Amino acid sequence: MKLIKKLYLCPQITNHNHFSMSIWILFKLIGSLALLMFGMKSMSESLQKMAGSQLRHVLQAMTTNRFTGLLTGMFVTAAVQSSTATTVMTVSFVNAGLLTLAQAISVIMGANIGTTLTAWIMSAGFSFNITDFVYPAFFVAIILIYSKKKRYIGDFLFGIAFMFLGLGTLRQTGIDMHLGENEAVLAFFSSFDPNSFLTTIIFLLLGGILTMCVQSSAAVMAITMILCSSGVLPIYQGIALVMGENIGTTVTSNLAALTANTQARRAAFGHMFFNLFGVCWMLIVFRPFVDMVCGLVGYDVTMTKEVVGQAVFLQNAAKLSFVLAAFHTCFNLANTFILIWFIPQIEKIVCRVIKQKNTDEEEDFRLRFITTGIMKTPELSVLEAQKEIQSFAVRIQRMFGMVRELVVEKDEAKFVKEFSRIEKYESISDNMEIEIAKYLDEVSDAHLSDDTKAKIRAMLREISEIESIGDSCYNIARTLNRRIKGKEDFTEPQYEHMHQMMELTDQALTQMNSILVGYREQNDVNRSFNIENEINNYRNQLKSQNINDINDHKYTYAIGTMYMDIISECEKLGDYVVNVVEARMGVKQRGI
């Protein structure tokens, strides 16, 4: 018994136990942060799956002016609990020309307000123990997740339960750490002069760097709440960290947009400008503004532990999580109220800083919408891929326009130059098909809704058929190249017939592009079928006439073969167009 007592009292063993406990608490802190981030991600993804395309339609329809754009960004972000999701959708619409840059800036402003709801949820989680309530949610979620119709609700419940479990564990870990009694931690924060402007700048930068490192402002907000609630971190430094988080999130989105096109980079920079401007004016009125927020929440800034005692001091400090949430909301509301009147000026500044590239984007192989790093959820990745397919189809129609110009080109030097452009476009179309298919294949590995899986299957079919249209364009160009190397030329009636056939084909391509951009329920698939029937009938008529003209010696068999090759290739192209339309509209076979 004496030996055990001696061992227990041995300083080395006590130090070892203390070290083990510290390591355990550290892992518990990191694990609960990971649980919180996973829960928020799961909740956001499941909400987007439940909303589906309706979310995108709302975002597009409700941005008629700066105020509706602001409200839309605010409510959509609050609904899906992800400002990144809203920002990505907004950038996508700007790229597609569905939203102006000014409208996008207003939506991003609203997203900044909507994302403050997360801070309020977290402050509620820190004010009382909610872990006991998450277990019934897990039980209900596991029942719903096996139901085909209700599984997204189950995913949502799992996400919110994990988030609250992470918050509850964080809260308890903060209590177990006894930060308020840790002399080393207290001494570290006491080394900073609370009245110094330099201290505010240091903590602001620290908040930004931490947010960039962990890629989550919510995680940094949770750490800030633990430090403030335990009475270790003074409120002014805590709020400086929150301001740094706002800048940190915009730096992340700007880095992600580096590989994107000009409009995407402008929208991302507009987001950064909004937050940087807010931080600049906030630093001027920092103390009065923070004191006002503290007064609204009922937190006493002047209270010290020495005067009122430990219990009363910690009771007052418990309100700090609500102070941080209130500041986050008040800051974004005030910043938006100031800047919403100057959106046209912000747009000019953004366009001046990020200039349009002079290079012809159409002459280079570069995906416009699919960019690495910017996407956060598979549902939004599908939207980006859809925009890329629309761009692919527009590029292919431009390629067909070049072929039409090639038909009438008589100058051999100009013909060779135009033919080499068509060859380049054919190579681009092959690469685009491969890259989009590869991207869709990666997205399809994620946990997707049935509707989204069906969309991916349809999109894979679309890109295959669009690439075939590019092949047909190239085949026509090769036939024309063969003709120019020979001595014979087409007759005037042949040229007229080719122009008429190509006009019908171009109409089919225009209708296809209109269907790819529009909403499925608003499109009329019969228009494409009617154009295809006209193309088929005209091809049959020209085929019969060609045989008669060769027999009547109006032109040679060789020129007649090349002529019919072009006509037949146009008819094939029309078939590919209909296949794209069928895939987009969800039609399984023609006529249905």
Side-chain angles (χ1 to χ4, degrees), residues 315-485:
Q315 191 178 354
N316 187 50
K319 297 176 184 175
L320 280 172
S321 59
F322 286 104
V323 173
L324 291 169
F327 172 82
H328 199 206
T329 303
C330 291
F331 166 70
N332 280 294
L333 281 170
N335 199 29
T336 302
F337 181 76
I338 292 167
L339 288 176
I340 195 166
W341 313 103
F342 301 101
I343 285 177
Q345 287 77 15
I346 294 170
E347 185 180 16
K348 284 177 185 174
I349 292 168
V350 167
C351 292
R352 193 169 293 173
V353 172
I354 299 176
K355 293 180 173 64
Q356 184 75 45
K357 289 181 180 177
N358 294 323
T359 55
D360 185 2
E361 290 185 354
E362 293 301 329
E363 291 299 317
D364 298 317
F365 167 62
R366 188 173 66 82
L367 298 179
R368 291 182 58 204
F369 302 100
I370 293 172
T371 51
T372 56
I374 198 168
M375 299 312 304
K376 296 292 179 185
T377 63
E379 299 287 328
L380 289 173
S381 301
V382 172
L383 172 66
E384 296 300 291
Q386 185 62 56
K387 294 291 183 292
E388 198 66 69
I389 290 170
Q390 290 165 13
S391 172
F392 187 14
V394 168
R395 195 180 287 228
I396 287 296
Q397 187 170 13
R398 189 175 288 109
M399 182 182 179
F400 184 71
M402 292 177 198
V403 172
R404 292 184 74 178
E405 289 172 15
L406 205 65
V407 173
V408 295
E409 189 57 68
K410 301 295 183 183
D411 186 277
E412 193 167 341
K414 288 181 180 176
F415 184 96
V416 170
K417 186 179 177 182
E418 194 69 13
F419 180 71
S420 66
R421 280 188 77 199
I422 291 168
E423 279 187 313
K424 189 174 183 181
Y425 263 67
E426 203 277 330
S427 176
I428 287 170
S429 73
D430 288 345
N431 288 329
M432 285 191 77
E433 181 197 15
I434 291 164
E435 291 301 316
I436 298 171
K438 193 189 297 180
Y439 184 75
L440 286 171
D441 188 49
E442 288 172 6
V443 174
S444 64
D445 290 337
H447 182 52
L448 298 167
S449 63
D450 291 338
D451 183 47
T452 305
K453 286 176 184 173
K455 277 181 190 172
I456 288 177
R457 287 193 296 271
M459 287 158 77
L460 286 168
R461 184 183 169 197
E462 285 168 26
I463 57 171
S464 173
E465 299 295 343
I466 292 170
E467 195 277 330
S468 296
I469 294 171
D471 288 343
S472 286
C473 290
Y474 183 53
N475 288 339
I476 295 170
R478 285 171 61 194
T479 302
L480 291 167
N481 190 44
R482 226 169 53 239
R483 199 278 311 159
I484 206 166
K485 286 178 181 176

Side-chain angles (χ1 to χ4, degrees), residues 203-214:
F203 276 86
L204 190 146
L205 292 172
L206 186 63
I209 293 164
L210 278 172
T211 306
M212 282 189 283
C213 290
V214 300

